Amino acid sequence: MDGMSAVKYAELGTFLRSRRERIRPADVGLPAGPRRRVPGLRREEVAQLAGASVDYYNELERGAGSQPSEQMVAALGRALRLSADERDYLYRLADRPVPVQGGAASHVHPGMLDLLDRMPATPAQVITDLHVTLVQNPLAVALLGDQSGLRGPRASFVHRWFTEPEARDLYPEADHETQSRSFVADLRAAAARRDAKDAETGTMIRTLLGVSPEFAALWADHEVAVRRKDRKRLLHPELGLIEVNCLHLFSEDGRQRLLWFTPAVGTESAGLLELLGVVGTQSVS
C-alpha cells in the first residue's frame, strides 16, 4: 500500500471525511446552492479546491488509492482549512514528513485563507518571508503567473530573481535595480528574524552569494528593510504596464504575509485589473 498501513489508510479516509463535513461552503468562498444534502462540503468541492481528481479524492476517503504526495497533503490541508496540529496529523497519517515552517509546503493559517477567499475581485496571494508563494487566487495568477507549484530553491521568487533572467520580465527594466535592492534588504530582515541555524535561509543566501555578483554586492551593503507596502509597475503580456499598490498583512511570527494588489491612483490600472479575469493567466517557467 505504497508504504502506508491499512490502519493509516482507514484513519486518513475517516479524518478527511470528518474535516470535510464540518466546513460550510461559505467558509471557502463557495456558494451554498440548492438541495445540499451533506452537512459540509461535497467530495467534488474538496477535490476542486485541492487540485485533485474527484475519483482520486473519493478513493482517499474510502481508505484506498495511492499514497498522497507531500504536495497533495499540503493542498488538502489548505482546502479543508486545517489547523497547524491537524495539518501535521494529516502528514503523519499519509506517512509523509511534516514540512518545516517557511518552505513551499508551509501551513497557511486558516484566517489568511479566509481573507483570501473574501477578495475574489482583487489579486491576492499568501507568500513566506522568503518570497515562496503558498497560495494565489485566480486574479493573482492572471496578474503574476502561477507561482504556487514550484519546489526547491526555485520556489522563492527572490532566488529566481537573481538566478533566472526571465523572472525579471514581470517588471520594467528601469525598475530592476530598485527591486533587487528591496529584495535583498527584505531577505536580510527575514534572515535575522529566523533562527541563526535555519537551513533554508542559510542555504539560499550562500547559493546567491556564489552565483550572483549583483546579490553579493547588495548583500555587502547591509541594508535592512521589511517590505510592508510597495507601488509596483508590472508588465502583463497582454495588458501591458499595470501600476498597482501592493499591500502586506503579516502573520504574528512574520513568516507569512498576505499580499493584495489595488490600482494605483491616477492611472488606468483599475480598468486593466478588471480585464484580468477575461484575458486569462500568465505562465511562469
Side-chain angles (χ1 to χ4, degrees):
M1 276 193 168
D2 295 72
M4 289 176 59
S5 68
V7 173
K8 280 193 171 181
Y9 259 115
E11 174 59 20
L12 177 68
T14 301
F15 183 65
L16 289 174
R17 184 166 57 254
S18 70
R19 301 303 88 183
R20 172 174 61 82
E21 290 176 349
R22 73 176 181 173
I23 299 178
R24 299 172 300 173
D27 294 337
V28 293
L30 295 173
R35 298 183 179 179
R36 182 170 287 271
R37 293 174 292 180
V38 294
L41 297 180
R42 300 185 178 99
R43 291 184 180 88
E44 57 266 27
E45 291 171 333
V46 176
Q48 175 187 350
L49 290 169
S53 71
V54 177
D55 288 343
Y56 178 67
Y57 182 76
N58 284 339
E59 287 183 345
L60 287 180
E61 279 208 6
R62 288 200 302 267
S66 60
Q67 181 184 15
S69 67
E70 294 176 47
Q71 291 83 1
M72 178 53 62
V73 176
L76 288 170
R78 291 166 189 163
L80 294 169
R81 299 299 192 263
L82 301 185
S83 68
D85 291 337
E86 291 171 332
R87 192 285 308 257
D88 291 353
Y89 181 62
L90 185 62
Y91 269 93
R92 295 186 176 101
L93 288 179
D95 268 345
R96 298 297 185 183
V98 177
V100 296
Q101 184 65 9
S106 291
H107 175 69
V108 183
H109 192 283
M112 280 198 168
L113 289 174
D114 180 59
L115 287 173
L116 191 70
D117 288 335
R118 296 177 187 276
M119 297 179 172
T122 302
Q125 61 185 22
V126 179
I127 69 172
T128 73
D129 55 347
L130 300 186
H131 293 259
V132 174
T133 302
L134 300 178
V135 60
Q136 299 173 282
N137 69 9
L139 286 182
V141 175
L143 178 64
L144 306 170
D146 187 353
Q147 302 178 355
S148 60
L150 300 174
R151 294 292 178 265
R154 294 190 67 240
S156 166
F157 188 72
V158 174
H159 183 277
R160 298 199 304 279
W161 180 265
F162 288 102
T163 60
E164 303 177 18
E166 60 272 19
R168 303 192 175 200
D169 292 345
L170 188 61
Y171 293 89
E173 186 174 358
D175 297 347
H176 288 182
E177 182 179 350
T178 298
Q179 291 299 322
S180 293
R181 190 169 294 279
S182 294
F183 280 134
V184 173
D186 188 75
L187 178 60
R188 185 175 284 278
R193 188 167 50 246
R194 291 189 176 209
D195 188 282
K197 298 179 180 179
D198 183 78
E200 184 183 19
T201 311
T203 299
M204 179 177 175
I205 293 171
R206 286 192 298 272
T207 299
L208 292 178
L209 286 172
V211 301
S212 172
E214 179 191 18
F215 178 86
L218 291 171
W219 189 255
D221 287 341
H222 292 271
E223 292 187 10
V224 183
V226 177
R227 300 187 81 156
R228 293 184 172 87
K229 60 180 179 178
D230 299 280
R231 179 153 174 167
K232 296 176 177 283
R233 300 195 305 160
L234 302 174
L235 291 174
H236 191 276
E238 295 184 52
L239 299 178
L241 185 67
I242 305 177
E243 295 189 55
V244 296
N245 295 313
C246 178
L247 306 173
H248 300 224
L249 175 66
F250 291 81
S251 61
E252 290 184 3
D253 62 4
R255 287 201 173 197
Q256 291 182 12
R257 57 189 79 171
L258 173 67
L259 310 182
W260 68 101
F261 302 85
T262 61
V265 176
T267 71
E268 299 178 354
S269 296
L272 294 175
L273 289 179
E274 290 179 0
L275 290 173
L276 280 177
V278 178
V279 300
T281 63
Q282 296 196 47
S283 61
V284 175
S285 58

